[in-house]
Amino acid sequence: MIQKPKKVLVLGSGSLKIGQAGEFDYSGSQCLKALREEGIGTVLINPNIATIQTSEGMADKIYFLPVTPYFVEKVIEKEKVDGIMLSFGGQTALNCGVELHDAGVFEKHDVKVLGTQIDAIKNTEDRELFVKKLNEINVKTPESEAVASVGQAIEVAKKLEYPVMLRVAYALGGQGSGVALNEEELAAKAKRALAYSSQVLIEKYLGGWKEIEYEVVRDAYDNCITVCNMENFDPMGIHTGESIVVAPSQTLTNSEYHKLRDISIRVIRHLGIVGECNIQYALDPYSEDYMVIEVNARLSRSSALASKATGYPLAFIAAKLAIGYSLTELENAITKATKSCFEPALDYIVVKIPRWDLQKFKHVSFEIGSEMKSVGEVMAIGRKFEEVIQKAIRMLNINLHGLVGNNLKFDDIKKELRMPTDKRLLAIVEAVRRGISVDEIYELTKIDKWFLYKIRNVVETEKGLLNCNIGNVPINLIKLAKQQGFSDFQIARLLFKEDGNNMGEKLLQARNLRKKHKITPCVKQIDTLAAEYPAKTNYLYLTYNGEEDDIEFKAKNNVIVLGSGAYRIGSSVEFDWCCVNAVFTLKKLGYSAIMINYNPETVSTDYDVCDRLYFDELSLERVLDIYEKENPLGVIISMGGQIPNNLAMRLDRQDVKIFGTSPLSIDNAENRHKFSTMLDSLGVEQPQWASGAAMGVAANKKELEQYLRKAAEVSKEHPVVISKFITNAKEIEIDAVAQNGDLVIYAVSEHIENAGVHSGDATMVLPPQYTYLETIRRIKEITKSIAKSLKITGPFNIQLIAKDNNIKVIECNLRASRSFPFVSKVTKHNFIDMATKAMLGMDIKGKYNTLDLDYVGVKAPQFSFSRLQGADPVLSVEMASTGEVACLGSDVNEAFLKSLLSVGFVIPKSNVLLSTGPIKSKADLLESVKKLAEMGYNLYATEGTAKFLEENNVKTNILHWPLDKKEPSTLTYLQERKIDLVINIPKSLEEEELTNDYLIRRKAVDFNIPLLTNAQIAKLFVESIYKKKIEELEVKSWGEY
Amino acid sequence: MHEGKEARLVLENGDEFRGFSFGAGHSTSGEAVFSTGMVGYPESLTDPSYKGQILVLTYPLIGNYGVPAKNIENSLDTNFESDKIQVQALIVSDYSFEYSHWNAKKSLAEWLKEENIPAIYGIDTRKLTKTLREKGAMLGKIIFDEENVGFYDPNAFDVVKEVSIKEPIVYNERPNQEKVVVVDCGVKNNIIRNLIKRNLTVIRVSYDYDFLADFFDGLIISNGPGDPKMCKKTIYNVGRALKHNIPTFGICLGNQILALAAGGDTYKLKYGHRSQNQPCTLVNTKRCFITTQNHGFAVDMKSLSDEWQEFFVNANDGTNEGIKHKTKPFMSVQFHPEATPGPVDTEFLFDEFVKMLK
C-alpha cells in the first residue's frame, strides 16, 4: 500500500498572461479531482477567480490569494498541510515552490513536495546544471555557456560565432530570449534579460532545424513512457508557443522517432522526474543529429495540448503518480479496459495554431520569434493535414476561412516568408499561388517540404473550384475539397467568385448541393488505441475522410452547449467557466450535455466534463452538422461569449431551437439602431453612441481619421459608431439573470477607473463602495425595464455610465459576460446555474442578496506588456489585458492590495518616480503624493510635476525627460533599477510628450518596475498601502467570508 | 489532382471498401490485418511476419518520408527488415504522393510498384479496423476492375517455409567469440543486427534445419508468420535442443514454438496485438515496458508444466507475453525486443541472452 498524504496544497498559476494561460486551469482541476477521489484533503491557492479549479466542490479550501512565497507560507501554517503540488500551476507555482524550499519553509512545516523533487526541478531550470546533467549520460545539448553579465555574454558569443541564441533561466514562454546577429543586438538583449533573471544562456543558434517535442511520464518505480510526440511546422527559431504544431510528428522516420523517444526516457530517468514533463529537441533536417533544447519539469502548455491530442489525461495521471501510484495500477480512463501504462496510438492528426492579438497594441512588432506573443491557441482534429490546417485557421476566428478563400494582400511576399509574422502561413499560400516553387519557399522558411506540398494541394483544389460554377462542378471535386477541409463558405466563394454580402445564402446553396450528393461528415472517436480495442469514449470529432459514424444517436434529452473558442484578449477562461457550469447544471438535471469547443487549454474540452465532447468548429456549418446528427432539444449559445452569440440569428434562420432569450431580442440588443430606439421608448438615456471592435477616444481630427481607417478594416458592414465621450464619469456594470422578462438576480459592480478604460481592463469592485444608493436603485429600475422589453430569459450584462446620479446605458449583452464568475463567486450565488435553469424553464424566483455583503471583492486586470516588445503599456478603450484576478477582503483597500499583489505588483521599497500628467490629475494626486512623502518614500519627479509639487510644499528630486537627454535622466534611473514604482499619468496628446511618456512607461515595463498609469488606481493604491501593511492582509479562505 | 485507378477491398464477410490504387495494379488476396503503429512503414512492410497478409495501417497519413535506399552492412540491409516487401498488399487512408526526407530515395508508391505489391488509399481505415477487430482477422482480396481472385488463407499454409532462407548464412564470423544459431522462421534483420552488435557469430538456418549436428553456444527462435502449430519440424528440433540444455531465446513466433516444444499449447486471440504501444509487465514487479507486437496467436500459460514460469504479461488484457524456465537457460517473449519499428525499451533482453551463454 502506498503512503498517501492527508492534506495537500495545490498551487495555481494565477492570472492568465502571455506564456501562461488557461492550460493550468485544466491541469490544476485534474490534479484536484485526482486527489479528491483518493479522499485526500485539498487546499488551493489561486487568485484567478474565473477558473473552474476555484469553483465550489473542486477543492476543500480555496484561497483567492497571490501565489507568492509570503502568502503560500501563511496558508501552509494555517492549514497544516503535509504535502504540496508544485507542477500544476505553471512557472509561477514552480518558481514559488523553489523559493519556499530554499527558504526552508517546507522543512520547517514538515511539508513534502509531491512528485518531481526540487533538486530535479533545479537541474532542469538552471541551464548550467542542466547541460552538466545531460553530459553525464552523453546526451547532446547545444554548445552554450551561462553568463551573468553583458560583458561575459559578448565574450561567449565571440567564441560561438554569431548568430547566437540568448535564453533566460527560470523564465516563462521564452521571455527575454532572442537571436542576436551581432554584438550590438546581443548587448541590448542581454541587458534586458538580466533585468529579469540573474542567469542568461548564450547558445549556438540552430535556426532551421526541426523542432520536436515529447511528453514524458515517469512513475516512482521507474516506469517511463512517452505519451505523445509533436512536430513544429515552424522550425527552430520560433518559440514552440508561437509555432504551428502537429501531433504526432509527420516527417520523422521510425529511426528518428525512436531515437529521440529513447533519449527522452534516458534523460527523464537520469533527472529523476516523477510525474509529467516535456522535452524539446532540435533535429538536423539533413541527418539524425539532434540537440536537447530544454526540459520542463511540470505540466505545460504542450502537455495540455498532448492531453487533448491523445485523450490521455496527463495531469490527472501525473497527480496520481505524485502520491505514489505506479502507471500499471492506473486504468486508461478512455477505454476503461486497458491500463495507463501505454503510449497512445492516434489514427488522426491534430494541428495547433497560436492565436495572436497584436493589432490591439500600439507600437508592437508583428514579427514572431523566440519570445511568446500569442494569447491563445486552437486545435483541429482530422485525418488529413490539409483538412486540419484549414479547420484550425477558421477556428482562430480572425475572419479567415481557411488557407484559401480569403481577401489578403501581400506586398513583398518573399520578405513575408523570410521574416515570419503572424500571417506567414497565408503568405505561403499566396507564394504557391504566384508560382514560387516549393524548393524556394523551403529555402526562405525552412518549413519542411512535406507541409508545403500539402498546402500546394489545397491551392490546386482552389484552382479547380475557380474553374467551375455551381452548375457544372464535378461532385468528386466537391468531395475532395471537403476531405481537404474546405468549408461550404470557401466552396461557395470559389464557385460563385463573390465576396459580397449575400454569401450567407450562397453557402447554403453549396451546402445543399453536397448534401444532395450525400457528401456529409462522419463522427469519429478519439480512443487512444486507434480502434485496436473497443472503447467507450465520448471524445469526438467530425471528418469527411471516413464513411461511418463511430457512435449512435439515441439520446432523447440532449442539449448542446457552444463553447467559447480560442482564448484571446477580451474572451478567455471566464467564458469557459460559464460553459462548464452550464454543463454541470444540465447533467445535474438529468440532461445529456453535449459540448462543442476547440480550445485545448480549456476544462470544457475535457471529455469527462460533459456527456459528449465534439472537439470541432463553432461555425454555422459545423454546428448544423452536429445538430442534424444529434437532434437535441436545443442549443445554449449564451455561455461562450461573442462567438456563439454571433451565431444566434443564423442558427435561428435554420430552425435550430435556441434556449433562452430569443435570437430576435439578441439582434435587437446588438443592433445599435434598434437598441437605441428601444431605450428611447423606455425613457432610458444613452450617450450619443459608442462601441465597436476598434474603439478609441479621438481627441482631434487626425486621430479620428486613424480610427476610422482601422474600424473599416474590422467590419465592412457596420464600420463605425461615433459617440460623444463623457469625461470623468463612473462606469458601472450589472450582471444579471432574468426569466420571461422578469429580473431574478443581479449584481452591481463599479469600476475604479473613470469611464474611458475598457471594462475588461478596469478594476472592478463588488459590492460597490463609492456609488450612490440612489444610482444603484435607478440602475436596477433600468435593468428591469430592459429585461422586460427584450423578454430576457437567461444571463445578460449591461454597462452604464453615471455622473452625478445621471445614468446612461452604454451597451447590453444578452449573454453571460466576462464578470459572471467574479459576481457568482463573490456573491456566492451561481448566476450560470440559475441562468441555465431559467432557460430550461425551471422556476428560479427568489430573494437573493448580492449587495449587503460583509466583505468586498476586487477584480484586477493582468497585463502582458513585458512580453510585447515596444507595446505602449497604457490603458485605453481598446482592451489590452490578457487575464485577471480577484481577491476578497474586509474592505476595498485590502481586497485591492491582494489583487494587485496577485498580478505581480510589488510594494515599493523606497524610490517613487512621479509624472502625474495634466493639471487636473496632478491636483487629484496631490494628497496621495503627500501620503507617500509621509510614509518616507524618496520622491523623484519630472520637471512639471516637480514644480507643481514644490508649489504645494512637497520636495522631490528632478529627473529629466527621456528626450531631454540630460542627466539625471528618468531613463538612466529606470535602467539602473533605482526606481521601485512609477506613477505616470498620460498627459496631453501632443506628439513629443507622448513619446516622452511612452519611453518612461516602456522602460519601466522592460525593467520589471511596477507602473501605474491611471490616476484613480494610483490614488487607491497609495491610500491602500497607507492604511494596510502586508502583514495586515487577512489569510482567509473563500468559505470563511 | 492525384487520382489512381479505382480498386476495392472485399472481405470474406462481404464488406467492401472502395479506394484508389497507388501500388501495383493487379488483384490479389490474403489475410487482412491491421497495425496501429504510427511510424515505420518501410520496416513493417519488410517484416516477414506479415507474409501472406494484407496490411491495414490505422495511422492515416502514410508515405510522408518516402523510402530509403538499400544499404548493406554485414550482409544485412540497415534500412529494411528483410530483402523485400513481405505483405500481400497495403491499405491506407491518406497516401502522401509527395515525400520529404534527407534519407529518402523514392516514394512509397514507386517502391510498391517495383516490388509488384498492390496498395489502396482513400479507405476509411478506422471502420475497416473496427470490422477486423470485432470479427477477428479476416480473409480479404483486392480487386481491380472485375479481375476476380479467390480468397487465400496464409494460416492454412506453411508460410514460414516461404520466408525462411534455404541455405545457412554465417554473419560476423570471428575467432574467440560465441556462436549462436538463429532459426529463421521469417527473422527480422534487426534481431541479427542486435546479435552482431553484441559480438556474436550468427548462423542463420532455415526453419527446418537440423542444427543439433552443429557446434554452437545458443539458440534463437525467430519471429515469423502464421499459426505456430504449422511449424512441426521446428517444434521438434527445439524440443531436442531443450533436452541438451542449450541456452534458448524465442521471439514472437519463437515464444509460441518454445511453448509448444515444452509441451504447452497455443490459441488464436480474439483481438490480435498489432501495434507499437503494448504494455508488458515483468511478472511479480511493478515494471512495465512498452513493446512492439505483431501476432494473432498466444501461449496458454496453464498448458505448461510447473517447471515454467510466466516471464511477462500483457498489462491490458492479461495474455501471456513470455515464458521462462525456472532452472534452465530458456526464455522467450511474445513481443519484439528488436523493435524496428517501435520502442527499443526491451532491447536489454539481448544482453540477458548473452549472459545466458556464459
Side-chain angles (χ1 to χ4, degrees):
Chain A
M1 274 302 285
I2 57 168
Q3 270 288 354
K4 288 185 212 163
K6 289 187 181 61
K7 197 178 190 186
V8 171
L9 175 61
V10 177
L11 300 188
S13 66
S15 52
L16 271 60
K17 38 188 167 285
I18 291 179
Q20 185 169 287
E23 62 270 16
F24 298 108
D25 189 19
Y26 151 77
S27 53
S29 299
Q30 289 228 329
C31 172
L32 291 168
K33 198 168 79 184
L35 294 174
R36 279 170 75 95
E37 69 174 36
E38 297 292 329
I40 295 169
T42 49
V43 181
L44 171 70
I45 305 181
N46 190 356
N48 192 339
I49 203 161
T51 52
I52 297 296
Q53 58 182 264
T54 57
S55 300
E56 212 185 322
M58 293 301 293
D60 298 333
K61 297 272 185 70
I62 294 165
Y63 286 86
F64 295 118
L65 286 175
V67 183
T68 57
Y70 173 83
F71 285 100
V72 174
E73 182 172 7
K74 290 280 170 213
V75 172
I76 288 174
E77 275 170 13
K78 185 174 165 197
E79 293 289 345
K80 306 200 170 22
V81 297
D82 58 350
I84 187 165
M85 294 280 196
L86 305 176
S87 47
F88 296 85
Q91 199 69 32
T92 300
L94 204 68
N95 288 355
C96 183
V98 170
E99 274 187 60
L100 286 163
H101 169 269
D102 289 352
V105 172
F106 297 147
E107 205 179 0
K108 182 172 153 203
H109 298 285
D110 208 11
V111 177
K112 205 174 145 212
V113 174
L114 303 171
T116 304
Q117 296 300 296
I118 300 286
D119 283 352
I121 294 173
K122 285 186 175 171
N123 282 334
T124 60
E125 294 283 319
D126 182 302
R127 298 299 307 192
E128 223 168 347
L129 288 177
F130 180 67
V131 170
K132 203 176 123 221
K133 261 327 236 191
L134 265 54
N135 280 341
E136 287 170 11
I137 52 168
N138 296 319
V139 168
K140 292 167 79 172
T141 46
E143 215 180 320
S144 70
E145 247 176 80
V147 299
S149 73
V150 177
Q152 274 180 303
I154 290 170
E155 225 167 275
V156 170
K158 264 188 203 142
K159 250 190 326 198
L160 296 176
E161 290 175 14
Y162 290 95
V164 293
M165 181 78 192
L166 180 143
R167 286 179 195 278
V168 184
Y170 293 95
L172 175 73
Q175 181 161 25
S177 72
V179 179
L181 298 174
N182 51 47
E183 192 170 310
E184 197 185 337
E185 279 183 32
L186 179 68
K189 286 203 162 81
K191 194 165 183 186
R192 192 167 78 96
L194 286 164
Y196 285 91
S197 175
S198 56
Q199 197 195 60
V200 170
L201 195 82
I202 309 297
E203 176 180 290
K204 186 93 198 121
Y205 179 57
L206 297 170
W209 284 38
K210 294 184 187 184
E211 192 167 352
I212 311 288
E213 296 179 62
Y214 283 73
E215 293 299 318
V216 189
V217 174
R218 179 174 172 267
D219 67 17
Y221 311 91
D222 212 17
N223 291 311
C224 194
I225 58 170
T226 65
V227 167
C228 183
N229 93 332
M230 292 175 265
E231 175 174 6
N232 286 10
F233 171 95
D234 302 284
M236 286 291 293
I238 294 181
H239 190 281
T240 177
E242 299 287 271
S243 294
I244 298 169
V245 175
V246 294
S249 62
Q250 295 300 315
T251 70
L252 267 55
T253 61
N254 177 71
S255 171
E256 289 165 332
Y257 182 105
H258 285 288
K259 178 178 181 174
L260 297 185
R261 177 189 172 279
D262 192 45
I263 294 168
S264 304
I265 290 175
R266 283 203 287 135
V267 167
I268 274 32
R269 283 193 169 134
H270 188 63
L271 290 169
I273 281 155
V274 174
E276 206 277 347
C277 71
N278 157 280
I279 180 166
Q280 289 173 23
Y281 295 94
L283 178 68
D284 184 357
Y286 299 107
S287 78
E288 282 191 13
D289 196 13
Y290 75 92
M291 300 283 169
V292 174
I293 303 304
E294 65 173 21
V295 168
N296 282 306
R298 55 171 172 83
L299 275 295
S300 63
R301 175 183 43 262
S302 294
S303 62
L305 181 66
S307 268
K308 301 297 162 79
T310 60
Y312 190 102
L314 280 167
F316 181 83
I317 296 292
K320 295 282 189 192
L321 301 183
I323 55 172
Y325 280 99
S326 82
L327 274 168
T328 50
E329 290 166 319
L330 301 169
E331 183 185 61
N332 176 341
I334 280 218
T335 60
K336 310 256 189 229
T338 56
K339 288 288 179 282
S340 286
C341 189
F342 82 111
E343 303 188 347
L346 281 56
D347 59 1
Y348 49 87
I349 174 175
V350 309
V351 67
K352 170 213 94 172
I353 306 187
R355 154 90 196 215
W356 291 274
D357 255 338
L358 297 171
Q359 70 288 350
K360 297 237 174 195
F361 300 94
K362 288 179 199 162
H363 305 300
V364 82
S365 154
F366 282 72
E367 274 177 32
I368 58 173
S370 61
E371 275 187 291
M372 244 185 107
K373 289 178 176 177
S374 61
V375 289
E377 60 190 34
V378 301
M379 182 181 102
I381 310 174
R383 286 168 62 84
K384 268 181 190 283
F385 178 74
E386 297 92 328
E387 176 188 20
V388 289
I389 194 90
Q390 293 225 80
K391 273 171 107 169
I393 292 171
R394 285 193 289 276
M395 289 170 172
L396 292 171
N397 201 243
I398 50 173
N399 221 3
L400 295 174
H401 301 285
L403 285 174
V404 299
N406 308 306
N407 295 317
L408 284 175
K409 287 182 189 70
F410 294 98
D411 299 329
D412 186 346
I413 194 81
K414 289 191 182 167
K415 185 180 164 218
E416 291 284 345
L417 298 177
R418 210 172 42 240
M419 316 267 286
T421 69
D422 55 341
K423 293 279 187 299
R424 177 158 79 170
L425 180 58
L426 284 312
I428 294 171
V429 175
E430 181 58 27
V432 171
R433 221 181 258 135
R434 291 187 195 175
I436 299 177
S437 73
V438 162
D439 287 346
E440 188 174 355
I441 298 173
Y442 172 74
E443 284 312 317
L444 292 165
T445 61
K446 299 289 176 196
I447 293 169
D448 195 285
K449 288 179 201 171
W450 184 81
F451 296 109
L452 302 176
Y453 290 132
K454 297 287 177 186
I455 292 173
R456 196 174 68 184
N457 288 346
V458 173
V459 175
E460 275 169 24
T461 304
E462 176 193 37
K463 263 188 225 155
L465 288 167
L466 277 171
N467 287 331
C468 305
N469 61 49
I470 189 91
N472 68 8
V473 61
I475 292 314
N476 275 346
L477 183 59
I478 297 276
K479 189 168 179 188
L480 175 73
K482 293 309 283 183
Q483 288 178 336
Q484 291 181 339
F486 281 71
S487 65
D488 291 342
F489 180 97
Q490 276 175 301
I491 292 173
R493 177 170 270 182
L494 296 168
L495 289 178
F496 290 99
K497 293 147 199 73
E498 274 185 39
D499 46 327
N501 289 335
N502 54 350
M503 280 307 296
E505 187 238 331
K506 296 279 170 16
L507 90 85
L508 290 172
Q509 281 190 43
R511 182 180 179 83
N512 290 336
L513 174 72
R514 70 161 170 82
K515 280 176 72 177
K516 198 175 88 189
H517 292 279
K518 303 217 160 37
I519 300 173
T520 52
C522 61
V523 178
K524 297 285 183 196
Q525 291 171 308
I526 286 179
D527 65 4
T528 72
L529 291 164
E532 189 186 4
Y533 288 92
K536 290 190 173 60
T537 161
N538 60 354
Y539 185 6
L540 311 165
Y541 67 98
L542 276 76
T543 180
Y544 284 86
N545 294 293
E547 52 184 45
E548 175 192 73
D549 289 327
D550 276 348
I551 49 164
E552 292 179 320
F553 306 96
K554 281 183 181 160
K556 297 244 176 335
N557 57 344
N558 291 333
V559 175
I560 294 179
V561 179
L562 300 187
S564 60
Y567 287 169
R568 55 202 178 274
I569 289 178
S571 171
S572 69
V573 68
E574 58 278 357
F575 291 110
D576 200 52
W577 184 86
C578 294
C579 292
V580 170
N581 274 273
V583 165
F584 286 163
T585 300
L586 287 170
K587 285 174 78 170
K588 223 164 40 198
L589 298 175
Y591 292 93
S592 172
I594 297 171
M595 185 75 217
I596 309 178
N597 199 7
Y598 51 75
N599 179 344
E601 305 171 284
T602 56
V603 175
S604 65
T605 54
D606 235 352
Y607 55 82
D608 58 358
V609 162
C610 54
D611 293 296
R612 272 185 181 176
L613 167 65
Y614 285 90
F615 204 106
D616 221 299
E617 294 177 65
L618 287 164
S619 60
L620 176 71
E621 173 178 347
R622 195 39 39 105
V623 173
L624 286 177
D625 289 336
I626 295 168
Y627 190 86
E628 284 163 9
K629 283 186 188 282
E630 290 283 356
N631 194 21
L633 299 173
V635 181
I636 292 179
I637 57 150
S638 50
M639 297 302 173
Q642 206 54 36
I643 291 179
N645 196 59
N646 286 348
L647 287 175
M649 280 304 276
R650 286 187 290 156
L651 286 171
D652 188 56
R653 277 187 221 121
Q654 301 303 312
D655 296 321
V656 168
K657 159 83 180 150
I658 307 282
F659 281 115
T661 313
S662 91
L664 213 63
S665 289
I666 295 175
D667 190 51
N668 285 341
E670 301 252 317
N671 183 307
R672 292 299 318 177
H673 287 282
K674 293 180 187 167
F675 186 59
S676 187
T677 312
M678 183 195 83
L679 289 183
D680 286 345
S681 73
L682 295 174
V684 173
E685 282 188 53
Q686 50 191 314
Q688 292 144 328
W689 283 31
S691 193
M695 280 202 287
V697 175
N700 55 42
K701 194 172 161 218
K702 189 175 149 204
E703 281 187 21
L704 182 62
E705 277 172 15
Q706 277 174 5
Y707 278 120
L708 288 175
R709 217 170 295 125
K710 195 169 160 192
E713 280 168 25
V714 172
S715 166
K716 286 218 161 60
E717 279 174 64
H718 310 286
V720 77
V721 173
I722 301 171
S723 77
K724 176 98 184 109
F725 179 69
I726 299 168
T727 50
N728 299 321
K730 243 186 130 40
E731 195 160 334
I732 294 167
E733 286 196 44
I734 183 157
D735 290 303
V737 178
Q739 189 164 28
N740 304 322
D742 292 330
L743 180 65
V744 180
I745 186 169
Y746 68 97
V748 179
S749 313
E750 63 187 354
H751 293 191
I752 300 283
E753 300 86 346
N754 282 345
V757 170
H758 190 283
S759 70
D761 286 348
T763 306
M764 278 171 68
V765 181
L766 172 69
Q769 305 292 304
Y770 307 102
T771 304
Y772 302 118
L773 270 176
E774 166 72 6
T775 300
I776 295 173
R777 201 180 56 72
R778 296 229 10 239
I779 286 174
K780 187 182 169 187
E781 290 311 313
I782 291 171
T783 305
K784 273 186 171 172
S785 67
I786 291 176
K788 183 127 288 167
S789 177
L790 291 169
K791 298 191 191 63
I792 298 175
T793 294
F796 68 108
N797 157 281
I798 302 175
Q799 289 168 32
L800 313 101
I801 44 177
K803 196 171 180 179
D804 317 321
N805 271 333
N806 183 356
I807 299 157
K808 295 180 199 294
V809 168
I810 308 173
E811 67 173 64
C812 172
N813 293 303
L814 301 192
R815 53 167 174 80
S817 78
R818 199 177 297 117
S819 38
F820 266 61
F822 171 65
V823 301
S824 293
K825 287 179 185 176
V826 174
T827 65
K828 299 187 182 176
H829 294 293
N830 188 328
F831 279 46
I832 297 300
D833 180 60
M834 294 177 67
T836 308
K837 285 174 177 160
M839 290 190 286
L840 295 168
M842 292 174 67
D843 190 0
I844 56 161
K845 274 195 220 77
K847 281 238 172 291
Y848 305 100
N849 171 30
T850 58
L851 203 54
D852 182 19
L853 307 176
D854 299 333
Y855 51 89
V856 180
V858 171
K859 177 164 97 75
Q862 167 78 55
F863 297 95
S864 298
F865 292 122
S866 63
R867 324 199 119 256
L868 298 161
Q869 273 191 56
D872 188 354
V874 73
L875 302 186
S876 75
V877 287
E878 183 88 83
M879 185 167 163
S881 61
T882 54
E884 62 188 32
V885 298
C887 298
L888 305 177
S890 55
D891 59 28
V892 71
N893 299 110
E894 187 187 357
F896 176 69
L897 270 187
K898 285 177 177 171
S899 292
L900 270 198
L901 294 171
S902 295
V903 292
F905 220 79
V906 184
I907 310 278
K909 278 200 200 70
S910 57
N911 297 348
V912 179
L913 170 62
L914 303 162
S915 97
T916 49
I919 187 69
K920 187 177 173 310
S921 73
K922 279 191 170 54
D924 255 12
L925 282 167
L926 182 58
E927 281 313 303
S928 304
V929 174
K930 284 184 174 167
K931 278 181 188 153
L932 284 173
E934 189 190 326
M935 284 185 274
Y937 282 104
N938 298 323
L939 302 180
Y940 294 84
T942 48
E943 271 148 314
T945 305
K947 200 168 150 220
F948 171 84
L949 290 172
E950 198 179 345
E951 283 161 11
N952 289 281
N953 304 318
V954 183
K955 276 194 65 122
T956 60
N957 308 301
I958 293 184
L959 294 182
H960 296 291
W961 286 106
L963 295 178
D964 291 351
K965 302 216 157 65
K966 244 180 10 193
E967 294 296 336
S969 157
T970 44
L971 289 194
T972 315
Y973 266 65
L974 289 167
Q975 262 169 22
E976 291 173 3
R977 298 173 59 91
K978 287 183 185 158
I979 301 292
D980 303 315
L981 169 69
V982 177
I983 299 179
N984 173 286
I985 312 299
K987 200 175 304 169
S988 66
L989 299 164
E990 285 164 53
E991 199 73 21
E992 185 171 320
E993 282 192 309
L994 250 184
T995 312
N996 263 324
D997 274 335
Y998 164 73
L999 288 171
I1000 289 180
R1001 290 192 291 265
R1002 192 58 226 177
K1003 204 52 110 183
V1005 166
D1006 285 339
F1007 286 83
N1008 207 15
I1009 297 165
L1011 167 71
L1012 296 172
T1013 63
N1014 176 282
Q1016 292 86 40
I1017 293 290
K1019 267 166 73 176
L1020 183 59
F1021 175 70
V1022 174
E1023 179 191 302
S1024 299
I1025 57 171
Y1026 186 76
K1027 283 188 184 163
K1028 299 250 174 186
K1029 293 211 162 33
I1030 217 178
E1031 300 78 41
E1032 292 168 318
L1033 302 177
E1034 287 179 320
V1035 174
K1036 273 166 81 172
S1037 72
W1038 183 23
E1040 291 172 272
Y1041 284 99
Chain B
M1 258 199 313
H2 303 283
E3 200 154 291
K5 219 165 132 188
E6 276 193 41
R8 60 201 163 101
L9 169 72
V10 182
L11 296 178
E12 60 180 317
N13 70 348
D15 282 4
E16 260 193 43
F17 293 83
R18 286 174 178 275
F20 303 96
S21 167
F22 70 105
H26 62 80
S27 301
T28 188
S29 59
E31 183 189 23
V33 296
F34 64 85
S35 169
T36 71
M38 298 185 289
V39 286
Y41 55 82
E43 290 84 353
S44 291
L45 292 178
T46 53
D47 177 351
S49 301
Y50 283 117
K51 185 71 196 173
Q53 296 178 326
I54 297 172
L55 179 61
V56 180
L57 294 177
T58 63
Y59 192 71
L61 292 84
I62 299 296
N64 305 6
Y65 49 84
V67 176
K70 283 193 191 301
N71 179 40
I72 308 291
E73 270 174 35
N74 292 321
S75 337
L76 286 171
D77 200 311
T78 58
N79 287 327
F80 303 100
E81 286 311 300
S82 68
D83 56 6
K84 61 171 192 254
I85 299 181
Q86 301 285 356
V87 302
Q88 273 320 91
L90 177 66
I91 309 282
V92 306
S93 173
D94 184 25
Y95 172 64
S96 271
F97 282 87
E98 285 87 8
Y99 61 90
S100 164
H101 200 271
W102 60 269
N103 195 20
K105 276 288 166 302
K106 59 184 103 166
S107 73
L108 175 57
E110 286 170 302
W111 188 39
L112 289 161
K113 283 175 192 158
E114 269 172 35
E115 304 232 349
N116 208 22
I117 306 293
I120 314 182
Y121 73 93
I123 300 280
D124 184 345
T125 45
R126 184 172 169 87
K127 180 182 172 192
L128 175 54
T129 301
K130 281 165 64 191
T131 306
L132 298 178
R133 175 188 84 201
E134 287 310 320
K135 312 227 163 91
M138 245 191 289
L139 301 186
K141 51 191 175 184
I142 286 182
I143 297 180
F144 281 89
D145 305 319
E146 286 310 315
E147 182 206 341
N148 208 343
V149 289
F151 284 112
Y152 158 70
D153 181 2
N155 295 318
F157 292 85
D158 199 353
V159 271
V160 165
K161 185 176 177 179
E162 292 176 44
V163 291
S164 182
I165 51 159
K166 305 289 175 272
E167 297 299 322
I169 307 176
V170 180
Y171 301 89
N172 196 31
E173 190 162 24
R174 287 206 177 88
N176 306 322
Q177 63 182 22
E178 276 107 358
K179 279 187 194 157
V180 294
V181 164
V182 173
V183 180
D184 177 8
C185 302
V187 69
K188 281 164 72 186
N189 285 350
N190 209 36
I191 292 179
I192 299 171
R193 284 185 216 119
N194 264 298
L195 298 170
I196 294 173
K197 198 161 87 184
R198 287 168 177 79
N199 300 319
L200 299 172
T201 299
V202 179
I203 309 158
R204 176 180 179 180
V205 302
S206 70
Y207 76 109
D208 57 352
Y209 183 82
D210 183 4
F211 45 80
L212 281 174
D214 295 354
F215 173 78
F216 63 101
D217 303 288
L219 179 66
I220 300 265
I221 318 162
S222 84
N223 63 298
D227 184 340
K229 288 175 184 167
M230 298 298 287
C231 303
K232 293 203 173 65
K233 246 189 164 151
T234 321
I235 297 165
Y236 171 72
N237 287 339
V238 171
R240 283 162 60 215
L242 295 182
K243 293 206 177 80
H244 289 85
N245 289 345
I246 295 168
T248 300
F249 181 23
I251 293 171
C252 193
L253 182 72
N255 181 49
Q256 297 156 9
I257 288 174
L258 182 64
L260 291 167
D265 198 7
T266 57
Y267 62 98
K268 198 162 202 281
L269 289 167
K270 160 128 193 188
Y271 305 133
H273 298 158
R274 302 181 201 280
S275 59
Q276 300 168 12
N277 61 349
Q278 294 284 337
C280 293
T281 309
L282 182 60
V283 171
N284 293 327
T285 70
K286 284 189 177 183
R287 282 305 298 275
C288 187
F289 301 89
I290 306 298
T291 66
T292 289
Q293 302 204 7
N294 174 23
H295 64 107
F297 291 85
V299 170
D300 177 7
M301 196 58 214
K302 291 192 299 285
S303 68
L304 283 163
S305 76
D306 60 6
E307 292 184 307
W308 292 83
Q309 60 188 14
E310 194 149 43
F311 192 9
F312 288 92
V313 64
N314 191 295
N316 282 342
D317 62 8
T319 56
N320 174 264
E321 291 288 357
I323 59 173
K324 201 174 173 176
H325 197 277
K326 282 181 182 162
T327 54
K328 295 176 179 172
F330 313 143
M331 66 170 181
S332 60
V333 290
Q334 189 58 57
F335 50 83
H336 289 268
E338 80 284 2
T340 54
V344 295
D345 301 12
T346 51
E347 199 190 296
F348 68 89
L349 288 168
F350 289 102
D351 298 321
E352 295 297 312
F353 175 62
V354 171
K355 281 185 210 155
M356 279 167 38
L357 301 177
K358 306 290 172 188

